Amino acid sequence: MMNTLTAKDFLTIDDFDIEDRTILVRVDLNSPMDPEGGILDDMRIHSHIQTLRDLEDAKVVLLAHQSRPGKNDFSTMEAHARIMSGYLGRKVTYIDDIFGTYARSSISAMKKGDVILLENVRFYSEESLKRPVDEQQRTHMVRQLSPLFDIFLNDAFAVSHRSQLSIVGFTGLLPSGAGRLMEREITALNKSLQGNECPCIFVLGGAKVDDSIKVAENVLSSGGADRVLVTGVVANVMLAASGVDIGEPNMKFIESQGYLEQIDRAKDVLDRFEGKIGLPRDAALNDKGKRIDVKIEEVASKNLPINDIGLETIVAYASEIENAKTVVLNGPAGVAELDGFEIGTFEIIKAASNAGYSIAGGGHITAEVRNIGYEDQFSHISTGGGACIDFLAGDELPGIDALKVAAKRYQETE
């Protein structure tokens, strides 16, 4: 089922009187960090600046997380506040508390224009529990914080596929809407799903085979895409499903990832959408670090792993992509971190940047777009990997669903 929303389905900043209001904003500042606690890539921090600028006449409290328990980069939000202050041009005050006396007194003392960032919300164990909305509303954190606020805004698209406390807990108790980043994400992804600008091509790669097959089914059955081109492990599974012998090393990798059962599912999709799914014509094999391009029919005899699409496929795919009106990329074309095997990913990104409307669907492909300096040449760069692919697959996202329910309730009371 196509998962599309209209502006009326959820509220935005424009629907509220924000003057001197105290507003809780869930943001996603989760960033790669070095062992000393320095932030290596501040893209997600910068992505929320427009939301904060549009709330400059309010009192803004930010709720965010960094990593998760057990990880080396599970840290405080202090460094994030410093970087955000630099981008915003005014101080973002870090508070090393979430909902205790210090946090609540700091919120109560705020003046118009103040911005504070509370401590890593995942320091509170209940945040990581996935529970229904009504249960999240009864948690200690929500009960302690909600009376201090006039409005809740969810600007954390990248974690809105999780039914977690800070994502859905406040929406039943406060007038709630989407921040600017969330609004942009929904608008851009809706445009890709609606397929208004044809031809619309989805390029699905990487290693998340089950998710990608689900996306292919959704966009082809709904008419959201005219063509789906596959790369990466997704392509290997599709090739095996089409009857191609991809060789023992590649079949073993598919088995190690738990995707053998996806071959039958992929065969069904290929049969149902005959001619709509583009498969690689050749592949780049890794022979002890050396790239060897061979025809698909020759892969099995070489007994080597496929690490990229081949040069003939790159040319064919690039031609389709750059002539499309709408292109959505999700997942790299190969093992892009290896020298010589980044070619497919790079050329597909380059081709997509020449399309009429281009989206990089979060995760690894977004990182590659940024690595080669093409982010300004894309129409939209998604901040959410898992959330983006769930949205494109037609799955319901708890964070967005909660905003839809909140919008309906708010509109009924107005």
Side-chain angles (χ1 to χ4, degrees):
M1 183 179 70
M2 189 162 63
N3 181 19
T4 56
L5 302 172
T6 67
K8 292 180 181 178
D9 289 327
F10 62 96
L11 303 177
T12 70
I13 293 171
D14 300 323
D15 292 296
F16 301 110
D17 175 12
I18 64 166
E19 181 80 22
D20 209 24
R21 296 292 197 272
T22 308
I23 303 176
L24 178 63
V25 187
R26 177 52 158 105
V27 291
D28 182 11
L29 308 183
N30 189 26
S31 305
M33 302 184 79
D34 62 32
E36 287 72 45
I39 292 175
L40 298 171
D41 185 343
D42 59 15
M43 181 269 290
R44 282 188 168 170
I45 298 173
H46 183 262
S47 68
H48 294 288
I49 295 303
Q50 188 60 56
T51 296
L52 297 185
R53 286 179 177 152
D54 287 354
L55 296 174
E56 62 182 2
D57 292 329
K59 294 172 280 190
V60 178
V61 178
L62 304 176
L63 201 54
H65 74 279
Q66 171 61 44
S67 192
R68 60 180 184 269
K71 296 288 187 177
N72 293 332
D73 57 350
F74 187 50
S75 73
T76 74
M77 306 306 298
E78 187 171 9
H80 306 71
R82 284 198 303 270
I83 291 175
M84 185 167 272
S85 296
Y87 277 127
L88 192 59
R90 54 195 169 102
K91 186 173 178 59
V92 175
T93 304
Y94 161 67
I95 303 292
D96 62 349
D97 186 19
I98 305 173
F99 61 92
T101 303
Y102 178 39
R104 298 199 311 273
S105 62
S106 298
I107 294 167
S108 297
M110 291 177 76
K111 295 179 175 61
K112 178 179 171 180
D114 286 351
V115 181
I116 67 174
L117 172 59
L118 298 177
E119 187 53 281
N120 188 339
V121 69
R122 289 186 179 171
F123 282 7
Y124 179 51
S125 61
E126 285 195 284
E127 166 65 12
S128 298
L129 298 178
K130 297 177 184 178
R131 296 182 293 196
V133 175
D134 59 337
E135 290 185 34
Q136 300 288 30
Q137 291 172 6
R138 295 195 294 269
T139 56
H140 295 295
M141 188 174 89
V142 172
R143 290 206 309 265
Q144 291 287 340
L145 287 180
S146 56
L148 303 174
F149 296 99
D150 301 302
I151 298 166
F152 171 75
L153 296 176
N154 183 358
D155 208 30
F157 173 77
V159 283
S160 286
H161 58 317
R162 306 188 188 281
S163 182
Q164 293 183 332
L165 188 159
S166 64
I167 298 295
V168 302
F170 295 94
T171 55
L173 303 175
L174 295 169
S176 301
R180 295 302 188 205
L181 176 60
M182 175 72 86
E183 185 181 358
R184 287 198 306 273
E185 290 275 11
I186 294 173
T187 301
L189 295 177
N190 268 342
K191 182 170 182 177
S192 71
L193 285 174
Q194 290 164 351
N196 292 332
E197 297 291 329
C198 297
C200 176
I201 294 176
F202 275 62
V203 186
L204 305 177
K208 293 183 177 179
V209 176
D210 49 348
D211 290 338
S212 293
I213 292 175
K214 194 171 184 179
V215 172
E217 284 183 292
N218 183 47
V219 298
L220 289 172
S221 62
S222 68
D226 300 289
R227 284 268 285 170
V228 171
L229 307 179
V230 292
T231 65
V233 185
V234 181
N236 293 350
V237 169
M238 288 280 191
L239 286 166
S242 72
V244 173
D245 184 352
I246 60 172
E248 186 179 356
N250 301 299
M251 286 302 294
K252 280 188 172 179
F253 183 80
I254 290 170
E255 183 178 10
S256 73
Q257 300 302 299
Y259 288 140
L260 278 179
E261 72 278 4
Q262 295 297 323
I263 293 176
D264 285 340
R265 188 177 171 202
K267 186 177 187 310
D268 176 65
V269 173
L270 287 168
D271 290 343
R272 284 167 54 203
F273 302 105
E274 187 176 356
K276 296 281 190 179
I277 298 176
L279 301 177
R281 306 175 185 180
D282 58 348
L285 307 181
N286 188 337
D287 186 4
K288 298 177 182 177
K290 181 182 178 183
R291 179 186 177 110
I292 301 176
D293 286 78
V294 301
K295 296 284 188 182
I296 284 297
E297 298 79 16
E298 300 171 11
V299 169
S301 64
K302 301 297 183 181
N303 202 40
L304 294 169
I306 298 172
N307 276 185
D308 194 11
I309 52 175
L311 296 178
E312 185 181 340
T313 303
I314 290 171
V315 171
Y317 279 12
S319 177
E320 276 198 70
I321 292 165
E322 65 186 4
N323 288 309
K325 295 293 185 183
T326 307
V327 175
V328 180
L329 304 186
N330 200 290
V335 189
E337 60 269 25
L338 295 181
D339 287 343
F341 297 96
E342 76 284 4
I343 300 172
T345 301
F346 173 80
E347 292 298 332
I348 282 174
I349 289 171
K350 184 178 175 183
S353 72
N354 293 320
Y357 186 83
S358 52
I359 294 176
H364 198 153
I365 194 66
T366 289
E368 292 301 327
V369 170
R370 288 171 55 79
N371 284 343
I372 63 176
Y374 269 61
E375 60 264 43
D376 291 340
Q377 298 183 49
F378 272 68
S379 307
H380 180 68
I381 303 285
S382 180
T383 56
C388 179
I389 203 165
D390 282 358
F391 191 100
L392 295 174
D395 291 342
E396 299 295 329
L397 274 64
I400 295 177
D401 287 347
L403 292 183
K404 289 162 66 177
V405 172
K408 186 175 180 181
R409 186 181 61 252
Y410 182 82
Q411 288 160 352
E412 287 173 350
T413 59
E414 285 297 292

